[in-house]
Amino acid sequence: MFAISQTSRGLFCFEWSSTESGPKIVNLSHLKTIKSFNNSDIINSIVNNFNFTIKNQSNSLSITIDSDNVLISCLNVDSKNISKSISWYENEILDSDFFDNYYNYYYPLISSDECLVISLPKLYKDNIINSSLDNNLNLIYLSLDIFSAATLVKQLYIKNSKEDYIIWKICNNNNNTFIVYNEDNIKSYVKLKKRKNNFVIDFHAGCKEYSNKIL
C-alpha cells in the first residue's frame, strides 16, 4: 500500500505492508515542496519524487487531505426527513457556481437536528482520481485527516466500545479541532481558537453539551 497524507508542511508519503502483528511502514518520505492537490499531474509528481521499495507488490493508494483545505459548515435539518432538508438546501441556498466547484458530503449528527457539511474542491478530487489512473495506482481510500484518524482509532483501540470518544487535532496558529464520536456516529464537531490565555469556540456543530465540555 502506498499512502499520502497532506499537512500544512507538505505531503508525508509512505509504503506499508501487512504483517502478522499489523501494518508495518517500510518506507517514509516527506515532500515539503509539494503541498497541494491543485495540479492535474499531482500523483505523477509525487511518484517521481518518491523512492519506492515495494511498489511491485501492490498498486493500492490511500490519500488523506488536510481538513484546512476543505469547507466545513453546519446545516439544520428535519431529523425525520434529512434528505428533504438537504434537497431544499441545495436548491434554495447553494448557487450553481458553488456546485461547479465543490462536491458536498453530509453527515447527520446524532443527538442533534444538524448535519455536518463537507465541501471538497472538485479540482482536488478530480486531479487525484485522474492522476492516480494515469500512474496505474488504484485509489481505494480518500478521506480527511481527522476523520481518517478516527477510523484508525476505532480499528485499533476501541473496536467494541460503546463509550463516547474524542479525536483531537492540534492545528497551526493556536487552533484545535475536536470530533466526539459514539461508535461510528458523530455527536459533535468543534473548532477552538486560543486567544491570549483563553480558548473560544470558533465553530460548533452538534450537541452543545459536548462543545462546552471540550471548552
Side-chain angles (χ1 to χ4, degrees):
M1 168 76 79
F2 181 46
I4 301 169
S5 179
Q6 182 189 36
T7 74
S8 61
R9 295 188 292 125
L11 301 178
F12 284 91
C13 306
F14 56 93
E15 292 177 287
W16 62 269
S17 60
S18 299
T19 67
E20 293 183 356
S21 57
K24 178 182 179 181
I25 295 177
V26 296
N27 190 11
L28 172 65
S29 180
H30 178 223
L31 306 180
K32 63 180 180 180
T33 58
I34 303 176
K35 296 184 178 181
S36 175
F37 292 109
N38 59 5
N39 296 321
S40 59
D41 61 345
I42 178 64
I43 303 302
N44 185 59
S45 297
I46 294 170
V47 167
N48 289 337
N49 284 276
F50 186 83
N51 295 319
F52 287 92
T53 59
I54 58 172
K55 185 179 179 181
N56 60 328
Q57 298 180 24
S58 172
N59 69 339
S60 296
L61 175 64
S62 167
I63 295 180
T64 58
I65 297 175
D66 185 348
S67 53
D68 288 339
N69 288 286
V70 304
L71 300 179
I72 298 178
S73 57
C74 181
L75 171 66
N76 291 323
V77 296
D78 179 357
S79 57
K80 296 180 180 179
N81 196 338
I82 294 176
S83 59
K84 183 177 180 180
S85 298
I86 292 174
S87 178
W88 176 86
Y89 172 71
E90 292 184 339
N91 292 327
E92 302 296 332
I93 304 300
L94 300 182
D95 59 28
S96 58
D97 288 339
F98 193 87
F99 273 113
D100 289 340
N101 290 289
Y102 291 93
Y103 293 112
N104 297 305
Y105 304 92
Y106 301 89
Y107 300 89
L109 304 174
I110 61 174
S111 304
S112 170
D113 292 328
E114 295 177 329
C115 260
L116 193 66
V117 185
I118 309 296
S119 299
L120 172 65
K122 285 187 175 182
L123 182 65
Y124 276 27
K125 184 175 181 179
D126 293 348
N127 285 343
I128 289 172
I129 292 174
N130 294 330
S131 190
S132 298
L133 291 173
D134 290 342
N135 285 272
N136 297 316
L137 291 170
N138 180 25
L139 181 66
I140 63 172
Y141 184 81
L142 178 63
S143 183
L144 299 185
D145 46 21
I146 194 165
F147 296 100
S148 182
T151 300
L152 181 64
V153 168
K154 176 68 177 177
Q155 292 175 344
L156 294 183
Y157 301 110
I158 49 176
K159 296 179 181 179
N160 301 310
S161 175
K162 302 296 182 181
E163 299 289 332
D164 294 344
Y165 60 99
I166 296 177
I167 305 299
W168 177 7
K169 178 187 176 185
I170 301 173
C171 312
N172 292 332
N173 302 318
N174 293 320
N175 292 300
N176 295 267
T177 301
F178 300 84
I179 303 183
V180 180
Y181 277 90
N182 183 276
E183 297 185 299
D184 294 326
N185 302 306
I186 301 174
K187 279 192 169 183
S188 186
Y189 181 97
V190 185
K191 298 190 75 172
L192 299 184
K193 176 76 173 182
K194 186 177 182 182
R195 294 175 180 167
K196 295 183 179 179
N197 294 322
N198 295 316
F199 285 93
V200 296
I201 295 177
D202 197 39
F203 175 82
H204 159 266
C207 183
K208 186 66 175 179
E209 174 189 356
Y210 286 91
S211 298
N212 291 333
K213 285 183 178 180
I214 290 171
L215 183 60

